[in-house]
Amino acid sequence: KVETYGIEAGANWQLTDGLSWFNSASYNKSTYEDDFVNGGVTVGVSGKTVVDSPEWMFNSELSLDIDRSFAKLHYKFTDEREYTYLNEGSVDRFSILNLSAGYRFGDLGFMKELTAQFDVTNLLDEDYISTVGSGGFSNSDPAGTAQTILPGAPRQWFLSLKARL
């Protein structure tokens, strides 16, 4: 059994005609209520935090959209996460900042609704663990060698063009 309680809230403020600010936050407390048996051995997980369940998460996005120009600044926070059932292995909390900006050119010759967009993900080039449990979860990992976590992507730049023909 697992016991979970928490709360999630979100708000979107329209600050001006072209400027909005979205925020969401969640709190989650999930714990195992019973031990389990694995290969005839009882694994004492009762009262331990459920794997891959961060206690706190937060997202914030500031958006600007004026005439043909648009931009977004996005912040994401994810709290520490356990990757072993006995809570002996965890990954640190992380924060990521992403940026996006673009321009709508409109119709240009045979291209309709031409839009150019420039994106930078992980703007500050943070080192972080994005995925836990990729190879399943283990009971414990005292040596810290379980191959079940994946690093997050480094800073990446993208230029996109979109049009209807």
Side-chain angles (χ1 to χ4, degrees):
K1 282 181 7 184
V2 170
E3 180 178 279
T4 298
Y5 63 90
I7 188 167
E8 182 175 6
N12 192 26
W13 292 281
Q14 191 68 41
L15 303 172
T16 65
D17 273 349
L19 183 63
S20 63
W21 186 24
F22 172 78
N23 291 280
S24 68
S26 65
Y27 172 79
N28 170 51
K29 184 69 175 170
S30 295
T31 55
Y32 296 108
E33 295 301 302
D34 297 317
D35 296 336
F36 67 86
V37 178
N38 183 9
V41 176
T42 299
V43 181
V45 296
S46 183
K48 303 285 186 186
T49 299
V50 172
V51 293
D52 196 16
S53 63
E55 196 168 301
W56 288 99
M57 292 193 302
F58 178 73
N59 277 289
S60 184
E61 184 173 272
L62 190 61
S63 299
L64 181 66
D65 197 328
I66 298 174
D67 296 322
R68 294 175 177 242
S69 301
F70 59 93
K72 290 183 181 184
L73 184 63
H74 175 251
Y75 170 81
K76 174 185 178 181
F77 169 80
T78 302
D79 209 354
E80 176 183 45
R81 293 161 292 153
E82 304 292 336
Y83 69 86
T84 64
Y85 290 111
L86 294 174
N87 295 168
E88 293 173 344
S90 65
V91 297
D92 292 335
R93 60 183 61 148
F94 68 91
S95 295
I96 297 295
L97 194 61
N98 302 309
L99 177 67
S100 156
Y103 188 80
R104 297 178 202 91
F105 293 95
D107 296 348
L108 252 82
F110 69 94
M111 294 184 288
K112 308 295 182 212
E113 300 173 19
L114 177 63
T115 301
Q117 182 170 327
F118 181 69
D119 296 281
V120 183
T121 59
N122 193 1
L123 184 66
L124 303 177
D125 204 22
E126 298 292 328
D127 291 330
Y128 68 102
I129 300 299
S130 65
T131 305
V132 299
S134 61
F137 297 103
S138 60
N139 293 339
S140 67
D141 184 28
T145 58
Q147 300 298 308
T148 187
I149 59 177
L150 298 172
R155 180 186 307 127
Q156 297 180 74
W157 308 75
F158 301 93
L159 176 61
S160 304
L161 296 174
K162 177 176 80 171
R164 283 187 319 115
L165 302 177

